[in-house]
Amino acid sequence: MNCKLTIQESDARIPQSKIAGVYDLNAPVYDIWGTLTESNARQRAIDLAGITDGLNILEVAVGTGLAFHEIVKRNPNGSNTGIDLSEGMLSRARKRLQGVGMANYTLSIASALDLPVKSSSVDILFNNYMFDLMTPENIDRALEEFKRVLKLGGRLVLVNMTKGEKHGSCIYERIYRMFPALMGGCRGVVLSGSLELQGFTVVSREYYQQMLFPSEVVMATKAA
Ligand SMILES: C[S@@+](CC[C@H](N)C(=O)[O-])C[C@H]1O[C@@H](n2cnc3c(N)ncnc32)[C@H](O)[C@@H]1O
C-alpha cells in the first residue's frame, strides 16, 4: 500500500546553515538509527557499486563512516575521500576508521554544494541519506557538483529516504510533519527525474523497507 501522505520535495525544513548543528547533536545516537533502519540499503549500495581496488572514491556526507569504513577496506590501494558538514559526525567516522588500520583515506569538513575535488577525477561517488534533507535548488546544485567531479562513465551510487511504497511506511512522514529535527530533517524523495535532467543515465533504482523506513538505492553513470 502506498503512503497517502505526501510531503513535497520543496518542504525541506532544516536550512543548510543549521545542518551541521543538528547532526553534531544527533551524532552520539546516529549509529543506532543508521543500523536499525538503513543498513540493508547502505550495504546494497556498496555491493552494487562494484568496487575494485585502486579506484578514486569520494563519499559525500560520510556521516559517522558506516559505509566509508567498508569502502576503504575494499579499496586499500586506491584513494578514499570522505567529506561532511558536521564535525560531530566526522569525529565518529575518524574513530571508526582507526579500527580499519589503513591510511589511504582522508576525512574532512566540506560541502556537497562546493566540492574541494578536481573535475573529472572520481571513479565512484557515494552519497547516502543527504538529498532527502535538501531543497530542490540545493539538490540540483549538488548534482551539478557530482557531475563535475565524476569521470566520464564514472558511477554515482545514492541512497535516499524515499516515498513509502509499502504498508506502514507513512509513520516516518507523520513524524517529520510534527518533529522534522527528530528525522534529521529527512523526508522522502525520488531522485531519478532530477538525475536524468542533470544528464546522468539512471542504471537502476531499487526500493528497500527496513523497520518500515523506506529507502531507494539508485545507481547512475555520468554520460557524455
Ligand atoms: C542522515 S545523515 C547520513 C550520514 C551517512 N551518509 C549515513 O548514511 O550514515 C546526513 C548527513 O549529511 C550531512 N550533510 C548534509 N548536508 C550536507 C552538505 N551540503 N555537504 C556535506 N554533508 C552534508 C550531514 O552533516 C549528515 O552527516
Side-chain angles (χ1 to χ4, degrees):
M1 186 177 75
N2 284 357
C3 189
K4 292 278 191 298
L5 302 167
T6 43
I7 290 176
Q8 299 303 309
E9 293 192 6
S10 53
D11 189 12
R13 300 217 184 144
I14 301 183
Q16 278 281 296
S17 56
K18 296 216 166 126
I19 289 290
V22 167
Y23 279 92
D24 284 349
L25 277 177
N26 284 348
V29 291
Y30 186 80
D31 286 355
I32 300 170
W33 169 268
T35 304
L36 287 178
T37 63
E38 301 171 347
S39 57
N40 293 345
R42 195 181 286 107
Q43 186 58 47
R44 175 62 181 148
I46 294 168
D47 293 340
L48 196 64
I51 299 172
T52 50
D53 193 10
L55 297 180
N56 187 9
I57 299 182
L58 170 66
E59 184 176 1
V60 177
V62 69
T64 62
L66 287 170
F68 195 65
H69 82 291
E70 188 60 39
I71 292 165
V72 172
K73 278 196 257 174
R74 292 185 189 203
N75 190 34
N77 296 299
S79 156
N80 302 285
T81 304
I83 64 138
D84 200 284
L85 284 179
S86 157
E87 180 52 40
M89 297 291 267
L90 279 173
S91 71
R92 284 174 189 267
R94 287 192 194 99
K95 274 196 198 115
R96 173 167 275 120
L97 266 292
Q98 278 167 11
V100 174
M102 294 170 189
N104 65 329
Y105 66 85
T106 60
L107 285 165
S108 54
I109 296 254
S111 172
L113 305 179
D114 186 15
L115 292 173
V117 176
K118 267 180 29 188
S119 299
S120 303
S121 63
V122 173
D123 294 296
I124 305 180
L125 196 161
F126 286 93
N127 177 246
N128 299 334
Y129 299 106
M130 179 195 79
F131 284 113
D132 44 33
L133 51 75
M134 283 184 161
T135 61
E137 295 74 27
N138 283 339
I139 289 175
D140 285 345
R141 194 162 145 201
L143 283 177
E144 274 172 31
E145 274 295 85
F146 287 10
K147 197 166 170 213
R148 178 183 68 76
V149 302
L150 271 169
K151 292 179 182 171
L152 204 59
R155 301 191 282 283
L156 173 59
V157 188
L158 300 177
V159 185
N160 302 304
M161 179 182 176
T162 195
K163 311 243 181 242
E165 295 177 15
K166 290 188 186 159
H167 189 71
S169 54
C170 293
I171 182 151
Y172 294 101
E173 284 209 4
R174 288 184 198 280
I175 296 171
Y176 180 83
R177 276 172 196 274
M178 289 184 287
F179 312 107
L182 204 59
M183 290 292 298
C186 299
R187 81 292 189 214
V189 296
V190 178
L191 228 67
S192 307
S194 303
L195 285 163
E196 297 280 3
L197 279 175
Q198 288 284 346
F200 287 94
T201 302
V202 176
V203 178
S204 62
R205 178 191 185 259
E206 299 173 6
Y207 179 82
Y208 283 81
Q209 194 162 301
Q210 184 178 354
M211 300 277 285
L212 303 177
F213 184 76
S215 296
E216 64 172 11
V217 179
V218 183
M219 163 106 132
T221 55
K222 175 176 164 177

